Amino acid sequence: MTSRLALTAACLLAGSAAFAQLPPAPPHGPMPPPHGAIAFQAGMVATGRVQQWLINPNGEADGLLLSDGTQVAFPPHLSAAMMQMLRPGDTAQVSGWRAPSVPVVRAQTIGANGRSVTDQPPMPGMAPPPLRDPGTLVAMSAGGRIERLLYTDRGDVHGVVLADKTIVRFPPHIGAMYGAQLQPGAQLHARGWGTRGAQGTALEATSLGPTADTVREVFGGAGVPWGPRGAGPMPPAAPMMMPPPPAPAS
């Protein structure tokens, strides 16, 4: 059971990381807006004091939370460069894209302390960065008051920041299903898989509830959102893809 949960969590993390990925840029020009993002405003600049790193469950920074509530998203392969350039308390200048009425800037360039980091397309033939070994994720739980909702750049809820700054992530369809209960000030308890580090704590939730005694699995197909106004049964879990058996020895 534990190994199956670990494999499920690893698949979810690989999928959730894709939400922050920026589209490839042409070699000598500005990055195009996200695919299909007709409503996005290009070149919008956000400036503010960095309040907190937004850490994904793999332990990588893939965003910033500014003091005015603006959320800045960038791909996790920029995590190391960003952490070398700035830290919470610094003032950052951000350019990129933003949809109307969505508090998320999808960053192309972030500047701070006289330096800047720009997302660049991979060089031709460059291999993608290796995925984190699922064995490095640990089973975790977290609970407390919801301080802030986290959004995708299209305005879908895909996580929360708790009062102790722990980040709980989940796919947008889970955010939509639990929307009535995921409100700032509400209590939330989560169990799942993630990491703890110097820059923060984050986990991908496999179970959610208002208290530790009422958490229910969100990917098992049997749980329903808590409360009298729950959204009904959860959709069945997708079948797990098993590797093909090894070829017989010759």
Side-chain angles (χ1 to χ4, degrees):
M1 180 65 178
T2 300
S3 61
R4 180 178 179 181
L5 283 174
L7 181 57
T8 302
C11 294
L12 291 169
L13 295 178
S16 61
F19 290 122
Q21 295 297 322
L22 297 179
H28 301 291
M31 291 172 54
H35 177 68
I38 298 174
F40 281 68
Q41 300 176 4
M44 179 174 290
V45 176
T47 301
R49 184 176 60 84
V50 177
Q51 180 174 315
Q52 179 182 352
W53 291 108
L54 297 180
I55 305 295
N56 66 30
N58 284 325
E60 305 159 316
D62 62 4
L64 302 169
L65 177 63
L66 303 184
S67 58
D68 66 354
T70 299
Q71 297 167 31
V72 179
F74 53 81
H77 70 255
L78 297 181
S79 176
M82 290 294 182
M83 289 186 175
Q84 291 174 2
M85 181 180 67
L86 58 81
R87 64 185 62 186
D90 291 345
T91 298
Q93 299 83 35
V94 185
S95 63
W97 295 271
R98 185 175 188 171
S101 303
V102 175
V104 179
V105 174
R106 197 172 190 181
Q108 177 184 2
T109 299
I110 299 178
N113 301 316
R115 302 167 59 191
S116 65
V117 173
T118 299
D119 185 41
Q120 298 288 350
M123 298 293 292
M126 180 181 294
L131 294 176
R132 177 183 286 261
D133 180 358
T136 63
L137 302 175
V138 296
M140 298 172 57
S141 63
R145 178 178 55 83
I146 297 175
E147 183 174 90
R148 188 177 301 276
L149 303 182
L150 297 178
Y151 298 90
T152 69
D153 54 18
R154 298 182 183 277
D156 301 314
V157 176
H158 74 142
V160 301
V161 179
L162 300 180
D164 66 356
K165 308 306 180 185
T166 296
I167 294 171
V168 179
R169 299 277 186 108
F170 38 77
H173 76 275
I174 298 297
M177 183 170 292
Y178 282 76
Q181 291 79 28
L182 296 173
Q183 300 295 332
Q187 294 292 315
L188 179 70
H189 193 92
R191 295 174 186 159
W193 297 82
T195 54
R196 291 184 176 91
Q199 305 303 335
T201 300
L203 71 150
E204 185 83 12
T206 56
S207 300
L208 291 171
T211 67
D213 295 331
T214 57
V215 294
R216 297 182 181 180
E217 291 187 15
V218 295
F219 299 111
V224 295
W226 65 87
R229 298 182 181 274
M234 301 289 292
M240 300 182 67
M241 301 300 293
M242 300 301 293
S250 56

